[in-house]
Amino acid sequence: MSRGIFEGLPIPADKSYLKEGLSRIDEGWAAARFDSLPHVVHILTSKDREGEIQFLKEQSDLIEDVVDEVVHAYHHGFNKAIQNYSQILRLFSESAESITGLKGEMAEAKKMLGRKNKHLGQLWYRSLTLRHVLSLLDQVEDVAKVPARIENLMAEKQLYAAVQLHVQSILMLEREGLQAVGALQDVRSDLTKLRGVLFYKILEELHGHLYNNGEYSFSFDGPDDDGSLDMHESDGRSRKDSKSISREIPVFLSCATPDEFLESMIKADAPLNVKYLRTLVQCLSMLGKVAAAGAVICQRVRPTIHDVITSKIKAYSEEASKSSIDKAAKRTTSDVSLSDVSIRRYELLKQKTKNGASLMAAQLVVSPILPAMAPTGDAQRAASQLLGSIFECLVDILENHIIVGELLEQKSSSEVDNVNTPHIANGDASWNLDSESSQATGGFSVAFSLSVVQSECQQLLCEILRATPEAATADAAVQTARLANKDPVKEKRDGSEGLSFAFRITDAAISVPNEGQGWRRNSSVPQEGYGTASVIPDQGIVLAASVYRPVFEFMNKIGLMLPQKYAQLGNDGLLAFVNNFLKEHFLPAIFVDYRKCVQQAISSPAAFRPRVHATSVYSSSVELGRPVLQGLLAVDIIAKEVLGWVQLMPNYATELVEYVQTFLERTHERCRASYMEAVLEKQSYILLSRNDVESLMRLEPSNISLQNSSSQLVTDAEAVEVEIEISDLLLDMCPIKQENLIHDDQKLILLASLSDSLEYLADSVEGVGESFVSPPTTSESNNHIWYGRHNRSTNAIPKGLASLANEYRRLAIDCVRVLRLEMQLETIYHMQEMTKREYVEDQDAEDPDDFIISLTTQIARRDEEMAPYITESKRNYVFGGISSVAANASIKALAQMKSINLLGVQQICRNSIALEQALAAIPSIDSEAVQQRLDRVRTFYELLNLPFESLLGFIAEHEYLFSAKEYLSLLKVNVPGRDIPLDAERRISQILGH
């Protein structure tokens, strides 16, 4: 059984038997609702009823003993508690009696104090007076020391502590009792003067930190340790410790008295420079100088921004000069500075081949843009880097202006010093001085600062672009806004409004004698304004391209930085001005000038004249002598340069691509005209214009050698059939007259050169198109952040460029197909002489026929002349069709012969061998294919020497070597000494299965 409920009873140790007895008692006897029935039933059913009853009596006695012990154990405690209660009751009774007595004594004391109240009041008032006099004496002593303490704090740049002390001292002097103290008049005068001194000291600190020239502003990185100059990297800003966020008391608040502002500065999540700006504005507010400070800041914004820009340009110029001096020291004496002379951008210099031959590219290709002003030129790079440096500095300055502007607006409501706002110079406060908030801040606001910065930047851009706003005396900020919001479509073109420009590309300066189309900057133009001429000597409209990216990044950063209520200010102004300038002036100007260059390039006499001093071996590289026609080479260079502007202003890629397409379309028209001049009314061109001929030429296996040409895969048997079909078609045109052939070798060379040049231009166009598709590099990806809402993504080559590339390739293929047909027709023209003579020779000749000599000589000459202009695979294509046509013409010529003897057969075989040797001499030709075709001719004519029975045996073994018509033609010609039975045709027809 468990002891359970009996544990913890106070049973003495000497009566432990009670615990043992309790342990034997079932806990069921102590249940809350005791049920006796089971126990009665147990006793009645037990065999030893008396024993069970006795056991129950023993347990009952045990319980009684336990109860006695418990009662005995707690009896002493009950008695002690009763005694304590008695004592407490007695003490309460005594306390009540004491309180009654105390009340009586207090009543008596009250009566006694009441009788002496007047006397005590007089003593109390006298003590207060004495205390006040002592306090006034202490205050007078402290206030007299305040001016010196304020000056010390100012010297230690503890401006907030100085302002705190000044404000507290002023309030103290205004207290009643001190106003009449004559000794404090001098102190009041000193504090009044110190208020002005404090104001200007704080204002100077604020001005310095507004433009990042203060102790807690940023720092600029200098040039690299190795002395090299990286204009982009060296101008980047790195924050000092002032950029880090600290929870400690700022050093400029270390002497300040703890207050709410000090606590907020400790808790603020802001860099040190921002905390300092907030502290300075708080000082101005405590002095009641918010409006006055705003007015002075407004006066200084424009000249300070101008000085900042000028100093950046000067620093950039000095660094650039050092860099140029270092580079010049490494140059040879033959090098010439780009700023000294106008250098042609694209001049192919003399090259030396392996055999020492001196090469000179054909005429120079000149861009309408100076090298320094080209998309990748020094001037463009300098303009972009310079503006990027200036704008980066201005972004930091505007960030400070935004912070201070918002703080001044917040503090303006608590302005206590109602001073007259000074006049704002240059009309810069005309933006919103009429509004109450602007008046409260002295005209200074975020909108005002941004407008002035954009105005100065616009004037800087105008200086770089040589653009002059029409109203030079008009307010620059208003001018910026007006130009930004002007609708370019409705702008008058008579020059009565908007911008007038000092020059265009070809109007900028005088031309240099003997310098082609290059232009130089006029050195007589006076240099004023910001001094950009020291950095960008060649200023002009073309620099607008380099201006666009920095301006976009600048305005994008400003837009992200401006508070929401000023967000609209970042959408207009400078960026709109640049966009209008690009659309209305830059793009039309470059289109006109480049179009003129393209027209001159393709219309000059030398544009489509194959190079005279070409190398004997074709080169795939222009630098190594690839003879691209000068007109097409110039157009390619100009097209690439035009598309080079896309890298500077991707937002106008569509317009620039359209310009290039226009140039390439005009060039294609000129190429087509040149092609037609060579092939018009010629037999080869007429044949090529036929669909059946073009379709057969596409099926020829050699068609695969044409780049990007569609050629169906055919079997060898099908290829032979195509060759025979084409040669039959050509032979059906006999007799061929010389006037129907392109007899002028120069025209053939032109077609060869034109074909290769068209291929070159097509490859170039596709390469340019792929540049719009290929993923950018890491650096480009970083720069593409600035695209923002202007980003134009492309997932395929522009359709116009792809279509033009196909058109160029199609015309290039037409050129070589005409050449192939021309050589085949030329071969037929010579081979048709076979049908005009009898091959019954009297003696064995040693030389081939004259027409074969003429043909082979012409093949060798034309191959040599075309070698420098087309690839070997193209040469193989051009001359590869001769053997099949010559073989077929030779075999068909037998049908028109009346007689031939043994010596005649030898002469024809000699002709075949001579032609084979001439073709095999072409390096690119498939000699094995030529041999197979011309061996067939010799085999065919040698069958004339076989007796008839031997001929039957040959036919039986080579049933498909020749056609039935060709085998039967062997019987029709008269061969002296050969007997032909009357049933010869029938017997041959039986063998052939006819």
Side-chain angles (χ1 to χ4, degrees), residues 82-114:
I82 291 171
Q83 292 176 1
N84 290 337
Y85 290 150
S86 298
Q87 291 178 0
I88 291 171
L89 182 60
R90 180 176 57 80
L91 290 174
F92 269 112
S93 299
E94 293 176 355
S95 298
E97 294 176 358
S98 299
I99 290 173
T100 302
L102 182 61
K103 286 182 178 180
E105 293 176 357
M106 289 182 66
E108 293 178 2
K110 183 177 180 182
K111 293 178 181 179
M112 293 176 65
L113 290 173

Short mmCIF file of all heavy atoms in Angstrom, two decimals, residues 82-114:
data_model
loop_
_atom_site.label_atom_id
_atom_site.label_comp_id
_atom_site.label_asym_id
_atom_site.label_seq_id
_atom_site.Cartn_x
_atom_site.Cartn_y
_atom_site.Cartn_z
N ILE A 82 -2.28 32.74 20.18
CA ILE A 82 -3.29 33.47 20.96
C ILE A 82 -2.61 34.55 21.79
O ILE A 82 -3.09 35.70 21.90
CB ILE A 82 -4.08 32.49 21.86
CG1 ILE A 82 -4.95 31.59 20.97
CG2 ILE A 82 -4.98 33.25 22.85
CD1 ILE A 82 -5.62 30.45 21.73
N GLN A 83 -1.42 34.23 22.35
CA GLN A 83 -0.68 35.22 23.14
C GLN A 83 -0.26 36.40 22.26
O GLN A 83 -0.34 37.57 22.67
CB GLN A 83 0.54 34.58 23.78
CG GLN A 83 0.19 33.55 24.86
CD GLN A 83 1.45 32.86 25.40
OE1 GLN A 83 2.55 33.17 24.97
NE2 GLN A 83 1.24 31.91 26.34
N ASN A 84 0.20 36.13 21.06
CA ASN A 84 0.62 37.22 20.14
C ASN A 84 -0.55 38.12 19.79
O ASN A 84 -0.42 39.36 19.74
CB ASN A 84 1.20 36.63 18.86
CG ASN A 84 2.55 35.97 19.10
OD1 ASN A 84 3.24 36.29 20.08
ND2 ASN A 84 2.94 35.06 18.20
N TYR A 85 -1.67 37.57 19.53
CA TYR A 85 -2.85 38.38 19.21
C TYR A 85 -3.21 39.28 20.38
O TYR A 85 -3.59 40.44 20.20
CB TYR A 85 -4.03 37.47 18.86
CG TYR A 85 -3.89 36.76 17.54
CD1 TYR A 85 -4.48 35.51 17.33
CD2 TYR A 85 -3.17 37.35 16.50
CE1 TYR A 85 -4.34 34.86 16.13
CE2 TYR A 85 -3.02 36.69 15.30
CZ TYR A 85 -3.59 35.45 15.11
OH TYR A 85 -3.46 34.80 13.92
N SER A 86 -3.04 38.81 21.55
CA SER A 86 -3.36 39.62 22.75
C SER A 86 -2.41 40.82 22.84
O SER A 86 -2.83 41.94 23.13
CB SER A 86 -3.25 38.75 24.01
OG SER A 86 -4.17 37.69 23.96
N GLN A 87 -1.10 40.57 22.58
CA GLN A 87 -0.14 41.66 22.64
C GLN A 87 -0.42 42.71 21.56
O GLN A 87 -0.32 43.92 21.81
CB GLN A 87 1.27 41.12 22.47
CG GLN A 87 1.75 40.29 23.65
CD GLN A 87 3.14 39.72 23.42
OE1 GLN A 87 3.72 39.96 22.39
NE2 GLN A 87 3.64 38.98 24.40
N ILE A 88 -0.77 42.26 20.37
CA ILE A 88 -1.08 43.21 19.28
C ILE A 88 -2.27 44.07 19.66
O ILE A 88 -2.28 45.29 19.44
CB ILE A 88 -1.35 42.44 17.97
CG1 ILE A 88 -0.05 41.80 17.47
CG2 ILE A 88 -1.92 43.36 16.90
CD1 ILE A 88 -0.25 40.86 16.31
N LEU A 89 -3.28 43.49 20.21
CA LEU A 89 -4.46 44.23 20.60
C LEU A 89 -4.11 45.29 21.64
O LEU A 89 -4.58 46.43 21.60
CB LEU A 89 -5.51 43.26 21.15
CG LEU A 89 -6.84 43.90 21.56
CD1 LEU A 89 -7.48 44.59 20.34
CD2 LEU A 89 -7.79 42.84 22.13
N ARG A 90 -3.22 44.92 22.59
CA ARG A 90 -2.81 45.87 23.62
C ARG A 90 -2.06 47.06 23.00
O ARG A 90 -2.28 48.21 23.36
CB ARG A 90 -1.92 45.15 24.63
CG ARG A 90 -1.43 46.06 25.76
CD ARG A 90 -0.64 45.24 26.77
NE ARG A 90 0.47 44.55 26.15
CZ ARG A 90 1.63 45.12 25.87
NH1 ARG A 90 1.85 46.39 26.11
NH2 ARG A 90 2.61 44.41 25.33
N LEU A 91 -1.15 46.76 22.03
CA LEU A 91 -0.37 47.84 21.39
C LEU A 91 -1.27 48.79 20.61
O LEU A 91 -1.06 50.01 20.59
CB LEU A 91 0.69 47.24 20.45
CG LEU A 91 1.83 46.52 21.14
CD1 LEU A 91 2.71 45.83 20.09
CD2 LEU A 91 2.67 47.49 21.95
N PHE A 92 -2.29 48.27 19.93
CA PHE A 92 -3.23 49.13 19.20
C PHE A 92 -3.95 50.07 20.16
O PHE A 92 -4.16 51.25 19.87
CB PHE A 92 -4.25 48.28 18.43
CG PHE A 92 -3.80 47.96 17.03
CD1 PHE A 92 -3.48 46.67 16.67
CD2 PHE A 92 -3.72 48.97 16.06
CE1 PHE A 92 -3.07 46.38 15.39
CE2 PHE A 92 -3.32 48.67 14.79
CZ PHE A 92 -2.98 47.39 14.44
N SER A 93 -4.28 49.54 21.27
CA SER A 93 -5.00 50.38 22.26
C SER A 93 -4.10 51.50 22.75
O SER A 93 -4.53 52.67 22.87
CB SER A 93 -5.45 49.50 23.45
OG SER A 93 -6.34 48.50 23.01
N GLU A 94 -2.82 51.18 23.03
CA GLU A 94 -1.88 52.20 23.49
C GLU A 94 -1.64 53.25 22.40
O GLU A 94 -1.53 54.44 22.69
CB GLU A 94 -0.57 51.54 23.90
CG GLU A 94 -0.69 50.66 25.13
CD GLU A 94 0.63 49.96 25.44
OE1 GLU A 94 1.58 50.13 24.62
OE2 GLU A 94 0.72 49.25 26.45
N SER A 95 -1.53 52.83 21.13
CA SER A 95 -1.31 53.78 20.02
C SER A 95 -2.47 54.73 19.88
O SER A 95 -2.30 55.93 19.61
CB SER A 95 -1.11 53.02 18.70
OG SER A 95 0.03 52.20 18.78
N ALA A 96 -3.69 54.25 20.02
CA ALA A 96 -4.87 55.11 19.91
C ALA A 96 -4.84 56.21 20.97
O ALA A 96 -5.15 57.37 20.70
CB ALA A 96 -6.13 54.28 20.02
N GLU A 97 -4.41 55.82 22.20
CA GLU A 97 -4.33 56.82 23.27
C GLU A 97 -3.25 57.86 22.95
O GLU A 97 -3.44 59.06 23.16
CB GLU A 97 -4.01 56.11 24.59
CG GLU A 97 -5.14 55.20 25.06
CD GLU A 97 -4.75 54.42 26.33
OE1 GLU A 97 -3.59 54.61 26.75
OE2 GLU A 97 -5.58 53.66 26.84
N SER A 98 -2.09 57.41 22.36
CA SER A 98 -1.00 58.34 22.02
C SER A 98 -1.43 59.31 20.93
O SER A 98 -1.10 60.51 20.97
CB SER A 98 0.24 57.56 21.56
OG SER A 98 0.70 56.73 22.58
N ILE A 99 -2.13 58.83 19.94
CA ILE A 99 -2.58 59.69 18.84
C ILE A 99 -3.53 60.75 19.36
O ILE A 99 -3.49 61.93 18.96
CB ILE A 99 -3.25 58.84 17.75
CG1 ILE A 99 -2.18 58.00 17.04
CG2 ILE A 99 -3.99 59.71 16.75
CD1 ILE A 99 -2.76 56.99 16.07
N THR A 100 -4.38 60.38 20.28
CA THR A 100 -5.33 61.36 20.85
C THR A 100 -4.57 62.47 21.55
O THR A 100 -4.86 63.67 21.40
CB THR A 100 -6.27 60.66 21.84
OG1 THR A 100 -6.96 59.61 21.15
CG2 THR A 100 -7.29 61.65 22.40
N GLY A 101 -3.49 62.08 22.24
CA GLY A 101 -2.68 63.10 22.92
C GLY A 101 -1.94 63.97 21.92
O GLY A 101 -1.80 65.19 22.11
N LEU A 102 -1.44 63.38 20.86
CA LEU A 102 -0.68 64.13 19.83
C LEU A 102 -1.57 65.15 19.15
O LEU A 102 -1.14 66.28 18.86
CB LEU A 102 -0.09 63.17 18.81
CG LEU A 102 0.75 63.79 17.70
CD1 LEU A 102 1.96 64.51 18.33
CD2 LEU A 102 1.23 62.71 16.71
N LYS A 103 -2.82 64.77 18.93
CA LYS A 103 -3.74 65.72 18.29
C LYS A 103 -3.94 66.94 19.17
O LYS A 103 -4.01 68.08 18.71
CB LYS A 103 -5.08 65.03 18.03
CG LYS A 103 -5.06 64.05 16.89
CD LYS A 103 -6.46 63.45 16.66
CE LYS A 103 -6.45 62.49 15.48
NZ LYS A 103 -7.80 61.89 15.24
N GLY A 104 -4.00 66.70 20.41
CA GLY A 104 -4.16 67.83 21.32
C GLY A 104 -2.95 68.75 21.29
O GLY A 104 -3.07 69.98 21.26
N GLU A 105 -1.76 68.15 21.32
CA GLU A 105 -0.53 68.95 21.28
C GLU A 105 -0.41 69.73 19.98
O GLU A 105 0.03 70.89 19.97
CB GLU A 105 0.67 68.05 21.47
CG GLU A 105 0.75 67.42 22.86
CD GLU A 105 1.92 66.47 22.97
OE1 GLU A 105 2.61 66.27 21.92
OE2 GLU A 105 2.16 65.91 24.04
N MET A 106 -0.80 69.12 18.86
CA MET A 106 -0.74 69.82 17.57
C MET A 106 -1.72 70.99 17.53
O MET A 106 -1.43 72.04 16.94
CB MET A 106 -1.08 68.84 16.44
CG MET A 106 0.02 67.83 16.19
SD MET A 106 -0.36 66.73 14.84
CE MET A 106 -0.35 67.88 13.49
N ALA A 107 -2.85 70.83 18.13
CA ALA A 107 -3.81 71.92 18.15
C ALA A 107 -3.23 73.09 18.93
O ALA A 107 -3.37 74.27 18.54
CB ALA A 107 -5.12 71.43 18.77
N GLU A 108 -2.55 72.80 20.04
CA GLU A 108 -1.93 73.87 20.81
C GLU A 108 -0.80 74.55 20.03
O GLU A 108 -0.66 75.77 20.05
CB GLU A 108 -1.38 73.28 22.12
CG GLU A 108 -2.47 72.79 23.08
CD GLU A 108 -1.88 72.17 24.34
OE1 GLU A 108 -0.62 72.19 24.43
OE2 GLU A 108 -2.63 71.70 25.19
N ALA A 109 0.02 73.70 19.28
CA ALA A 109 1.12 74.29 18.48
C ALA A 109 0.58 75.19 17.38
O ALA A 109 1.16 76.23 17.06
CB ALA A 109 1.97 73.16 17.88
N LYS A 110 -0.54 74.80 16.83
CA LYS A 110 -1.14 75.61 15.78
C LYS A 110 -1.57 76.97 16.31
O LYS A 110 -1.39 78.00 15.64
CB LYS A 110 -2.34 74.86 15.20
CG LYS A 110 -3.01 75.57 14.05
CD LYS A 110 -4.14 74.73 13.47
CE LYS A 110 -4.81 75.46 12.31
NZ LYS A 110 -5.93 74.67 11.77
N LYS A 111 -2.09 76.94 17.49
CA LYS A 111 -2.49 78.21 18.06
C LYS A 111 -1.28 79.10 18.31
O LYS A 111 -1.31 80.31 18.05
CB LYS A 111 -3.24 77.95 19.36
CG LYS A 111 -4.58 77.26 19.20
CD LYS A 111 -5.24 76.99 20.55
CE LYS A 111 -6.58 76.26 20.37
NZ LYS A 111 -7.23 75.98 21.68
N MET A 112 -0.19 78.50 18.78
CA MET A 112 1.01 79.28 19.07
C MET A 112 1.62 79.85 17.77
O MET A 112 2.04 81.01 17.72
CB MET A 112 2.04 78.42 19.78
CG MET A 112 1.61 77.99 21.18
SD MET A 112 2.79 76.87 21.95
CE MET A 112 4.19 77.98 22.09
N LEU A 113 1.73 79.02 16.70
CA LEU A 113 2.28 79.50 15.42
C LEU A 113 1.41 80.56 14.80
O LEU A 113 1.88 81.49 14.14
CB LEU A 113 2.44 78.32 14.45
CG LEU A 113 3.54 77.32 14.79
CD1 LEU A 113 3.49 76.12 13.84
CD2 LEU A 113 4.91 77.98 14.69
N GLY A 114 0.17 80.47 14.90
CA GLY A 114 -0.73 81.47 14.36
C GLY A 114 -0.50 82.82 14.94
O GLY A 114 -0.63 83.85 14.27
#
